[in-house]
Amino acid sequence: MPLLLSRTALSSLPSSVAVPRYDPGAVAVGIVHLGIGAFHRAHQAVYTDDALALAGGAWGICGVSLRSADMRDRMNPQDGLYTVVEKARTGVSYRVIGSVREVLFRGDELETILARMAAPATRIVSLTITEKGYCHDPASGELNLAHPDVAHDLALPADPVTAVGLVVLALDRRRASGGAPLTVLCCDNLPQNGRLVEVMVSAYARECSPALAAWIAANVTFPSTMVDRIVPATTESDLADVDRALGLLDAAPVVCEPFRQWVIAGDFAAGRPAWERSGAQFVTDVAPFEAMKLRLLNASHSMLAYLGFLAGYETIWQVAARPDFAALMRALMEEATPTLALPADVDLPAYKAALLERFGNPALPHRTQQIAMDGSQKLPQRLLGTVRDNLAAGRPIDRAALAVAGWMRYVSGADEAGGEIKISDPLAADFARVAAAHRGDPVALARGLLGLTAIFGTDLPADPRFAAPVTRWLAALFADGAASTVARAAGGHAPTSSGEPP
Ligand code: CS2
C-alpha cells in the first residue's frame, strides 16, 4: 500500500513534482477560508503558496467545509497538502501546495471555527461558497430574508447554517474579544462581490444588533475581486493519475488549466499576503474586469453548456470544437463588448481569442452539466446585465436571447430524446412547476419562466424587445433542436416569429 502524501513524505517525491519552497509546518494561520472546494485550492491557495515562498508571513489558510466532512477527512491526514495538476494542450505539470494548514468542518467543529475567525491572528476571512451560498436575491443582489436558511439563522443566530450567518456570529465574537479589524474577501463569480457581501453582512447584522452593525462598518473591509481559472470537478481517474505521478496517495488533488487571473480592489483592514508577487493585480476599480469576465467568459460558458448539452455534448471542449458553436460564442462576445469599458492596457481581442482557446483545451474535460448547474443564480450577472445595457442603448440582444432560451429549454427538464434532465438549482421546484403547467407550449413556457422575478426582475419580462426573441428562440429550439438552431444563429439568422425555420 503506497504511503499517503504528507510533510514527511515530501522529500521522497519524484523531481518532476514541484513542492513548497518553504516549510508548511512552520506557517501560522492568518486566513480562514469558507468553502474549501476545488476552485479555492486551485486559485487563491496557489497564489498564497507562491506568496509564502516569495515573501513569507503568517498567512497559512484554515479551510472550512460548510456542507460535508469529506474534504477535512481527505486533507487533514495528509497535513493539508494536495496536488495541483495543470493540464495544458501540450502537457501536464504537478505541484504540491502547502498553504492550507488545516481543514475544519462546520457540522461538528463550529466552536473551533468561530474561535479561529475571532482570533486576532486571523486577518482575512475569504469565501468561495458559489453564487447560491449567499442566499441573496440574484436579480437585486440583496439578502433574501425570506430564504429558509436565512430565516433559520435569524431565529437561531448561535447555530448558523448560512455563510453570512456564520460570518456575522464570528464578527460578534471578534468584537467581544478585542475587536481586531478584519478583511472579508469574497472570491465568488458575482459582480461587485465585496460590496454585495458587505450589504448582506450589514443587513443581517442590523437584524441581530445595531451596535454590531456599527462595529462592522468601522472595523471590517470588503474588497472586491475578479477570480478566474477553469477548474472542473476532480474525477476518479484524476485521482489515479496523480497517485501514479507522485508514487504516493493524494486523496485531494485538483485539476485545472494553466491560466489564472486574480484582480483585487479595496482596502485590507489588517494586511494581506504578498499576492502581487504571485501575479495578482491590484487595481482601483475591479468592476470593469468583473464585467469582462462574467459577460465574456461566464456568459459564453453558460450558453455553450446549455445548448451544447442539448445537442448531445458531454464536455465544453467538444462544444467549442464545433465551428457553429464557436461562431455563436464569438457573436455573443461581440454583442457583449460594447457594454464593457476596460482600461486601455487590456487587449480585449486577445482576451476573447484566448477564451476560445481555453474552452477548446481537450486535456481538461469540463462537463456541460457541471456548468449548467444553478443557472438561476448565474444568468443575471452573466447575461441579463448585458441585455439591460444593450436594450438601454438600442443595441442588439439576439445572441443573449438565444442563450437564455437555451437555459429555458434545459430547465424544462427533458432532453431532445425525451429523457429526463436532472436540474440542480435552488429554483428547480419552480422550474418543474412552470414546465408541467406548459408542456408542449413554448410561448407559455417562456412567459412562465420569465415570470420568475428573482431571476428576471420585473423590467425584462415586460419588455417585448427581450421577451419576444427569447420566446422565438425557445420555440425554435423545441421545433428544430439545438444543433440546427445554433447553426442558423451562427449564420446570423434570427428565428422567425412562428419559431419555424426561416
Ligand atoms: C463556470 C465557472 O461552472 C461555471 O459556471 O462558468 O466556474 C468558470 O469555470 C470559472 O468562473 C472560470 O474562472
Side-chain angles (χ1 to χ4, degrees):
M1 179 83 174
L3 286 173
L4 202 56
L5 177 61
S6 68
R7 280 197 284 131
T8 48
L10 281 176
S11 56
S12 66
L13 287 173
S15 59
S16 53
V17 178
V19 296
R21 285 168 289 133
Y22 57 94
D23 175 8
V27 176
V29 166
I31 300 173
V32 173
H33 182 78
L34 308 185
I36 182 91
F39 184 77
H40 173 75
R41 288 180 297 126
H43 191 273
Q44 301 105 63
V46 175
Y47 281 88
T48 305
D49 190 69
D50 279 338
L52 287 170
L54 294 166
W59 292 113
I61 299 168
C62 164
V64 174
S65 233
L66 294 169
R67 299 267 166 258
S68 116
D70 184 56
M71 203 40 71
R72 172 193 63 187
D73 297 345
R74 286 172 185 264
M75 291 186 72
N76 285 349
Q78 47 190 60
D79 297 331
L81 301 175
Y82 62 96
T83 312
V84 169
V85 185
E86 279 188 20
K87 288 196 170 182
R89 289 171 190 257
T90 46
V92 181
S93 71
Y94 300 89
R95 166 178 174 184
V96 173
I97 300 296
S99 53
V100 179
R101 299 314 326 125
E102 67 174 341
V103 180
L104 302 171
F105 170 45
R106 157 67 185 91
D108 51 24
E109 289 172 293
L110 178 61
E111 276 309 315
T112 315
I113 294 167
L114 290 169
R116 290 282 186 288
M117 291 169 82
T122 297
R123 290 176 282 164
I124 297 175
V125 168
S126 55
L127 303 96
T128 50
I129 54 173
T130 81
E131 296 88 343
K132 67 172 173 255
Y134 294 92
C135 304
H136 66 303
D137 180 65
S140 70
E142 278 169 27
L143 183 66
N144 180 359
L145 292 171
H147 191 295
D149 290 349
V150 177
H152 168 278
D153 286 6
L154 286 169
L156 291 168
D159 185 28
V161 293
T162 70
V164 168
L166 178 61
V167 168
V168 173
L169 180 59
L171 290 174
D172 200 24
R173 291 275 176 100
R174 203 170 170 93
R175 176 175 69 125
S177 61
L182 183 78
T183 299
V184 174
L185 189 65
C186 176
C187 296
D188 277 297
N189 274 315
L190 291 159
Q192 311 270 36
N193 55 9
R195 176 81 193 126
L196 188 102
V197 174
E198 180 174 15
V199 167
M200 282 188 284
V201 163
S202 310
Y204 182 99
R206 269 194 308 275
E207 297 284 326
C208 302
S209 139
L212 173 61
W215 180 82
I216 292 172
N219 294 284
V220 183
T221 56
F222 299 83
S224 282
T225 65
M226 180 268 252
V227 292
D228 189 9
R229 187 168 225 186
I230 294 177
V231 189
T234 309
T235 64
E236 286 299 320
S237 93
D238 294 329
L239 286 162
D241 171 52
V242 171
D243 293 345
R244 260 193 311 276
L246 267 59
L248 292 173
L249 293 180
D250 177 353
V254 287
V255 176
C256 58
E257 62 172 343
F259 181 94
R260 59 176 153 110
Q261 188 176 13
W262 196 7
V263 188
I264 305 170
D267 293 333
F268 284 75
R272 61 168 173 79
W275 284 321
E276 76 286 357
R277 301 278 302 273
S278 37
Q281 297 160 255
F282 287 84
V283 298
T284 48
D285 183 11
V286 85
F289 295 91
E290 284 169 338
M292 172 181 78
K293 198 238 161 183
L294 288 164
R295 293 180 179 197
L296 299 178
L297 187 156
N298 294 114
S300 301
H301 238 182
S302 290
M303 181 178 73
L304 296 189
Y306 295 121
L307 294 171
F309 175 87
L310 291 166
Y313 297 108
E314 204 188 327
T315 62
I316 280 289
W317 78 263
Q318 295 168 316
V319 186
R322 306 303 310 162
D324 288 344
F325 281 87
L328 179 61
M329 173 171 160
R330 275 189 215 96
L332 180 75
M333 292 197 290
E334 283 325 298
E335 221 173 76
T337 299
T339 73
L340 306 175
L342 273 310
D345 59 346
V346 176
D347 182 347
L348 215 43
Y351 181 85
K352 289 188 264 191
L355 287 183
L356 277 151
E357 185 70 17
R358 290 169 62 194
F359 284 12
N361 179 356
L364 199 69
H366 196 185
R367 290 179 57 250
T368 45
Q369 269 208 294
Q370 187 189 343
I371 299 163
M373 278 171 58
D374 296 339
S376 67
Q377 315 294 302
K378 295 175 176 174
L379 252 46
Q381 59 274 14
R382 296 182 178 204
L383 289 157
L384 304 180
T386 304
V387 167
R388 286 194 176 90
D389 287 353
N390 277 338
L391 286 176
R395 290 186 296 252
I397 55 120
D398 201 55
R399 286 351 181 226
L402 172 53
V404 172
W407 167 79
M408 289 180 166
R409 174 69 189 78
Y410 181 89
V411 302
S412 75
D415 65 22
E416 293 186 357
E420 186 197 354
I421 305 176
K422 289 226 176 317
I423 309 295
S424 176
D425 193 295
L427 299 192
D430 295 297
F431 306 155
R433 178 180 45 76
V434 174
H438 304 301
R439 213 166 288 294
D441 184 349
V443 176
L445 177 62
R447 198 182 311 116
L449 290 171
L450 285 171
L452 298 172
T453 49
I455 306 174
F456 294 103
T458 50
D459 56 334
L460 288 178
D463 192 331
R465 295 175 300 164
F466 175 66
V470 167
T471 307
R472 288 198 297 267
W473 279 124
L474 183 60
L477 286 169
F478 274 109
D480 308 327
S484 49
T485 304
V486 168
R488 196 158 70 243
H493 302 294
T496 58
S497 55
S498 66
E500 296 302 313

